Structures are given as structure tokens and as C-alpha cells.
Amino acid sequence: MADEEIRLAGAVDVPVVAGVIDAAFRPYIERIGRVPQPMEEDHAANVAAGKVFVTGDPVTGLVVVEAFEDHLFLDTIAVHPTTHGGGVGRRLLRFVDAHARALGLPEVRLCTNALMWENQKIYPRYGYELVERRVDGPYDRVHYRKRLF
């Protein structure tokens, strides 16, 4: 699994991107009391915009990223629950760092729902520091950043 490539998603990947995101985020619906935002995204538009990178054959994980002038925003990271614990998430996080560096961006930013407490244990282990917690519309979010340079 460690040698599986991470590649830019294509139009053919849209259904599986939606499927992996659904499988990864569906368990949180009851806990947060609403559908998590990644499940409501326009996956076809994100793929067409070159924001989605996938790994696995079949696809088992993905990231949705967007480059800004001063950072790379990690919008979504999703790993299919059947492959949890296999290193897919770790490889995707390393890819995000490398992608940001390749773009010459000094940091990666992300946010997670405050009720997804598992993520709040994971991100600091990978060098992310807590920036703030704030409510964005209906979502209570915890914001992180990782400085690369």
C-alpha cells in the first residue's frame, strides 16, 4: 500500500470520490446533527477544477485542496472506513505537504468540525497547530495550520 500512487482525479473518478466521501463522513451525521459539508460539495466541479487527488485501485482515499497566494487549503481528506489504519491518511497528509512545497506555499491550512474530536487528536501529530475555533454558518469548526518553511 505504501507504493500506491496519488494522482489527480479525472471525470471517471467522480462517482467513487462521492462514494469515499460519503462512507467517510456518514458516521458523523448523527453526532453533529447535520450532513457534514464535504458530503454536500459539488464533486464533479472540484474534480474538473483540479482540486481532487485520489489513491488506491480501487480508490480508498482522497484529498481536496485549493491553492491560495499564501497557503494550500486542505478542504477535505477522506479515507474509506474499510482501509482505516492502513496508512492511507498518513500518505495523503504527506502528499499535501509535498504538493504545497512544490507550489512554493509556506503553509497548509485546514479546519474540522469541533465534534469530530478524532481529527483533533490526529492533526497535531502531523505538525498542525491549533489556530482558532469559530462558528462558520451552521458549523462549529476548529482551524489548524502547518508551517512548512
Side-chain angles (χ1 to χ4, degrees), residues 41-96:
E41 293 292 317
D42 183 339
H43 307 302
N46 284 338
V47 167
K51 296 179 181 181
V52 183
F53 293 84
V54 297
T55 190
D57 186 16
V59 172
T60 57
L62 62 96
V63 291
V64 180
V65 295
E66 186 171 358
F68 291 90
E69 187 176 313
D70 61 347
H71 70 281
L72 184 68
F73 182 67
L74 173 54
D75 190 351
T76 304
I77 181 168
V79 175
H80 198 284
T82 60
T83 60
H84 281 178
V88 176
R90 178 176 50 251
R91 283 189 315 99
L92 288 166
L93 286 171
R94 287 184 184 146
F95 167 80
V96 169

Side-chain angles (χ1 to χ4, degrees), residues 9-145:
V12 69
D13 296 307
V14 171
V16 75
V17 165
V20 170
I21 288 174
D22 183 75
F25 286 92
R26 183 161 296 284
Y28 294 110
I29 294 173
E30 185 175 340
R31 186 188 304 173
I32 67 174
R34 66 178 311 110
V35 174
Q37 186 172 355
M39 293 175 71
E40 296 181 327
E41 293 292 317
D42 183 339
H43 307 302
N46 284 338
V47 167
K51 296 179 181 181
V52 183
F53 293 84
V54 297
T55 190
D57 186 16
V59 172
T60 57
L62 62 96
V63 291
V64 180
V65 295
E66 186 171 358
F68 291 90
E69 187 176 313
D70 61 347
H71 70 281
L72 184 68
F73 182 67
L74 173 54
D75 190 351
T76 304
I77 181 168
V79 175
H80 198 284
T82 60
T83 60
H84 281 178
V88 176
R90 178 176 50 251
R91 283 189 315 99
L92 288 166
L93 286 171
R94 287 184 184 146
F95 167 80
V96 169
D97 290 355
H99 187 58
R101 285 186 181 102
L103 295 172
L105 298 172
E107 71 181 40
V108 177
R109 297 180 190 170
L110 63 84
C111 64
T112 189
N113 190 291
L115 293 176
M116 295 179 183
W117 53 78
E118 301 89 343
N119 296 341
Q120 294 172 56
K121 294 177 183 175
I122 293 170
Y123 294 128
R125 283 191 254 157
Y126 290 93
Y128 287 86
E129 63 179 300
L130 177 65
V131 175
E132 68 178 328
R133 179 176 176 174
R134 73 172 183 256
V135 175
D136 296 318
Y139 299 100
D140 182 4
R141 294 183 170 148
V142 181
H143 294 257
Y144 291 90
R145 74 173 170 207

